[in-house]
Amino acid sequence: MKSTVESLSPTKVKLIVEVPFEELKPSLDAAYQSIAQQIVVPGFRKGKVPPQVIDQRVGRGPVLEEAINDALPKLYSQAVSDNQVKAIGRPEVDVTEFNDKESLQFSAEVEVRPEITLPDLEGLEAEVEDIAIADDEVNEQIEALRQRFGSLNPVERAVADNDFITIDLSASKDGEKVEEAQATGLSYQVGSGQLLDGLDEAVIGLSAGEKKTFVTQLVGGALKGEDVDVEVTVTAVKEQELPEFDDEFAQTASEFDTADELKADVQARLERGKRLEQAGEARDAVLEKILTLVDVPVPEGLLTDELAARKENLEQQLGYSGMTMEQFLEGEEQTQDEFDEDLKKRSEDAIKAQFVLDLVAEQQELSVNDQELTEHIVRHAQRSGVSPDQFAQHAVENNLVPSLVSEVVRGKALAYLVENAKVTDASGNTVELKTLQPDGSYADPEAADAGEATESAETADEPEPAKA
């Protein structure tokens, strides 16, 4: 078999393949055997009909067609391998010439990974925002802790904002009760906005035993989104009493002896969280920077598949949430054209990032061991809300393991880029990423040099995958 490659564009090639007829013999024999199993000829056992009889009864043409269809995928794969073509996607195959008992010629147009020239990966510069922790953030955490240890006390007064109340709800439409919208003994914090629009305004000022009717829209059921009348009855009113934030509270709510120590720990935990956020920003900034320095052509077919996958994923999410595309666009403050353009840009960037990271991984000879793949599967399972065994079985059954391996390798490639970049904050301070741990603390520098402190950069925020 002879084959040549013709470049059609930076992302597409055309293979021209010439095959001597004798190389089709295995597929031709298989075709005769297959057809022999399907026909009945007097005087011959099923499956034992000779080729010349099949040619007489069925015709040579169907046999050759089946043989060629069987041979083409193997011949194409061999041509790809022989010419070291980095093919992606499905090829468009065209049989250009066939002479029975002489030769077969076909062409195959297929998209390929573009040739990319990477810049010097060491010394890439990127900037992220400063880490800033406002007093309000610390106070909010402390307030949440106080609420966990607070007590609810019944009060003999009208409902006020932030009260905890017990209510009965009864919805009706045109005077008829909506059976699926009846509830008694519901606990609710006024101002949380977690039940029905208009509920907070309706209950404020009511005392236990009083009721009020208001108009709202149901969020589920057959009348979802329709206006209904809802009667709310307040059956109990409680206010929350919070403990003082003092040394006694610190000893009750934590392992610390003083309120100052507890507050310092809250501050430290917030700082660790901000470091992880900053590491995610650094990852994005470094990847964005390298994409501006590299010319990465995007294959049209791959982009089409990526756009289709992202749109399908969005439609599923909107369906689950009961939201229309119009409502989604309104919330995003975008027109359809603006959304489509933004989606195309994000899809192109995701594909470009994959090509770049794959090349970095190849040049740095990065690989994945069993433990790393297992940890990646566990994280995927947690996000999906299933057990690791269930996710692993799903991955094997649907041939997703190679994709999962690629995700881990790309994460390691991105970690390499980030660790070798010069990342500074807005104030000009160097951002330490190499020793950053998954919990936001810093590892011992010697351990980091041994390669034990890269997990946070690889796994805290993995690069957005292309869906194709």
Side-chain angles (χ1 to χ4, degrees), residues 286-313:
V286 170
L287 190 55
E288 183 178 345
K289 181 62 177 289
I290 196 171
L291 289 181
T292 65
L293 299 175
V294 182
D295 180 23
V296 186
V298 176
E300 292 183 9
L302 191 58
L303 178 59
T304 298
D305 291 344
E306 174 74 3
L307 285 169
R310 287 176 179 251
K311 287 179 180 178
E312 181 181 358
N313 185 50

Side-chain angles (χ1 to χ4, degrees), residues 90-104:
R90 294 178 295 275
E92 296 179 6
V93 179
D94 180 31
V95 175
T96 54
E97 184 178 332
F98 176 67
N99 296 308
D100 190 8
K101 300 181 181 180
E102 292 184 12
S103 65
L104 165 71

Side-chain angles (χ1 to χ4, degrees), residues 339-357:
F339 170 77
D340 290 342
E341 187 63 30
D342 180 57
L343 184 65
K344 182 180 179 182
K345 174 67 165 57
R346 286 187 285 115
S347 299
E348 288 177 336
D349 286 348
I351 294 171
K352 290 178 180 179
Q354 285 195 358
F355 287 151
V356 168
L357 294 177

Side-chain angles (χ1 to χ4, degrees), residues 9-136:
S9 75
T11 60
K12 198 169 192 177
V13 300
K14 182 177 183 179
L15 286 162
I16 301 174
V17 185
E18 296 181 22
V19 187
F21 190 82
E22 55 267 23
E23 293 192 23
L24 295 177
K25 189 175 186 307
S27 294
L28 189 63
D29 291 343
Y32 275 119
Q33 186 174 1
S34 173
I35 293 175
Q37 295 287 346
Q38 301 172 39
I39 64 174
V40 176
V41 178
F44 297 96
R45 286 181 297 166
K46 192 171 184 179
K48 299 297 183 179
V49 183
Q52 60 270 27
V53 176
I54 292 177
D55 287 346
Q56 293 171 357
R57 291 298 185 98
V58 179
R60 175 81 165 173
V63 179
L64 293 173
E65 182 178 358
E66 184 167 333
I68 291 173
N69 288 338
D70 174 74
L72 280 177
K74 306 167 191 173
L75 297 170
Y76 164 75
S77 296
Q78 183 181 338
V80 166
S81 176
D82 291 346
N83 293 277
Q84 298 182 332
V85 172
K86 297 178 180 179
I88 54 177
R90 294 178 295 275
E92 296 179 6
V93 179
D94 180 31
V95 175
T96 54
E97 184 178 332
F98 176 67
N99 296 308
D100 190 8
K101 300 181 181 180
E102 292 184 12
S103 65
L104 165 71
Q105 181 172 304
F106 70 92
S107 65
E109 294 186 10
V110 66
E111 290 187 324
V112 295
R113 289 182 174 273
E115 294 295 327
I116 302 172
T117 302
L118 294 177
D120 184 2
L121 298 180
E122 295 196 17
L124 286 173
E125 296 185 0
E127 184 178 299
V128 295
E129 295 294 328
D130 291 338
I131 288 181
I133 301 174
D135 290 341
D136 288 347

Side-chain angles (χ1 to χ4, degrees), residues 74-367:
K74 306 167 191 173
L75 297 170
Y76 164 75
S77 296
Q78 183 181 338
V80 166
S81 176
D82 291 346
N83 293 277
Q84 298 182 332
V85 172
K86 297 178 180 179
I88 54 177
R90 294 178 295 275
E92 296 179 6
V93 179
D94 180 31
V95 175
T96 54
E97 184 178 332
F98 176 67
N99 296 308
D100 190 8
K101 300 181 181 180
E102 292 184 12
S103 65
L104 165 71
Q105 181 172 304
F106 70 92
S107 65
E109 294 186 10
V110 66
E111 290 187 324
V112 295
R113 289 182 174 273
E115 294 295 327
I116 302 172
T117 302
L118 294 177
D120 184 2
L121 298 180
E122 295 196 17
L124 286 173
E125 296 185 0
E127 184 178 299
V128 295
E129 295 294 328
D130 291 338
I131 288 181
I133 301 174
D135 290 341
D136 288 347
E137 294 179 89
V138 176
N139 293 336
E140 183 179 334
Q141 294 291 316
I142 292 174
E143 186 70 11
L145 190 58
R146 291 176 66 206
Q147 288 179 357
R148 284 176 52 193
F149 287 85
S151 58
L152 295 178
N153 303 318
V155 291
E156 298 293 333
R157 60 165 174 77
V159 176
D161 197 22
N162 294 320
D163 280 346
F164 288 79
I165 59 176
T166 305
I167 56 175
D168 299 336
L169 293 173
S170 177
S172 61
K173 176 75 171 179
D174 299 328
E176 297 289 333
K177 282 190 175 182
V178 181
E179 292 301 329
E180 67 266 30
Q182 309 292 314
T184 59
L186 289 177
S187 297
Y188 179 69
Q189 184 179 18
V190 181
S192 65
Q194 294 180 343
L195 283 179
L196 296 170
D197 288 342
L199 177 60
D200 291 329
E201 294 80 2
V203 297
I204 289 180
L206 298 182
S207 298
E210 294 183 338
K211 62 182 65 175
K212 188 174 183 179
T213 300
F214 63 100
V215 178
T216 189
Q217 290 185 337
L218 297 180
V219 295
L223 298 179
K224 177 181 177 180
E226 295 188 24
D227 286 344
V228 294
D229 297 315
V230 176
E231 181 183 81
V232 55
T233 303
V234 177
T235 60
V237 183
K238 298 178 181 180
E239 66 179 4
Q240 188 176 47
E241 182 179 349
L242 301 180
E244 291 295 324
F245 185 70
D246 53 20
D247 293 349
E248 182 179 352
F249 173 76
Q251 294 165 18
T252 301
S254 71
E255 70 271 27
F256 300 105
D257 294 326
T258 67
D260 288 342
E261 290 174 336
L262 176 54
K263 186 174 183 178
D265 180 67
V266 170
Q267 177 95 15
R269 282 190 286 110
L270 285 171
E271 185 174 354
R272 290 196 295 271
K274 296 282 187 178
R275 286 176 191 158
L276 293 178
E277 292 178 9
Q278 191 181 59
E281 293 175 10
R283 174 214 66 181
D284 292 341
V286 170
L287 190 55
E288 183 178 345
K289 181 62 177 289
I290 196 171
L291 289 181
T292 65
L293 299 175
V294 182
D295 180 23
V296 186
V298 176
E300 292 183 9
L302 191 58
L303 178 59
T304 298
D305 291 344
E306 174 74 3
L307 285 169
R310 287 176 179 251
K311 287 179 180 178
E312 181 181 358
N313 185 50
L314 175 61
E315 289 170 358
Q316 289 178 347
Q317 292 178 355
L318 293 179
Y320 294 146
S321 63
M323 185 183 297
T324 65
M325 187 63 183
E326 290 73 18
Q327 291 171 326
F328 171 77
L329 291 174
E330 183 178 350
E332 294 293 312
E333 298 182 349
Q334 285 184 317
T335 66
Q336 184 67 57
D337 288 343
E338 290 171 339
F339 170 77
D340 290 342
E341 187 63 30
D342 180 57
L343 184 65
K344 182 180 179 182
K345 174 67 165 57
R346 286 187 285 115
S347 299
E348 288 177 336
D349 286 348
I351 294 171
K352 290 178 180 179
Q354 285 195 358
F355 287 151
V356 168
L357 294 177
D358 287 344
L359 183 55
V360 172
E362 180 183 324
Q363 291 183 350
Q364 300 303 317
E365 299 182 345
L366 302 177
S367 60

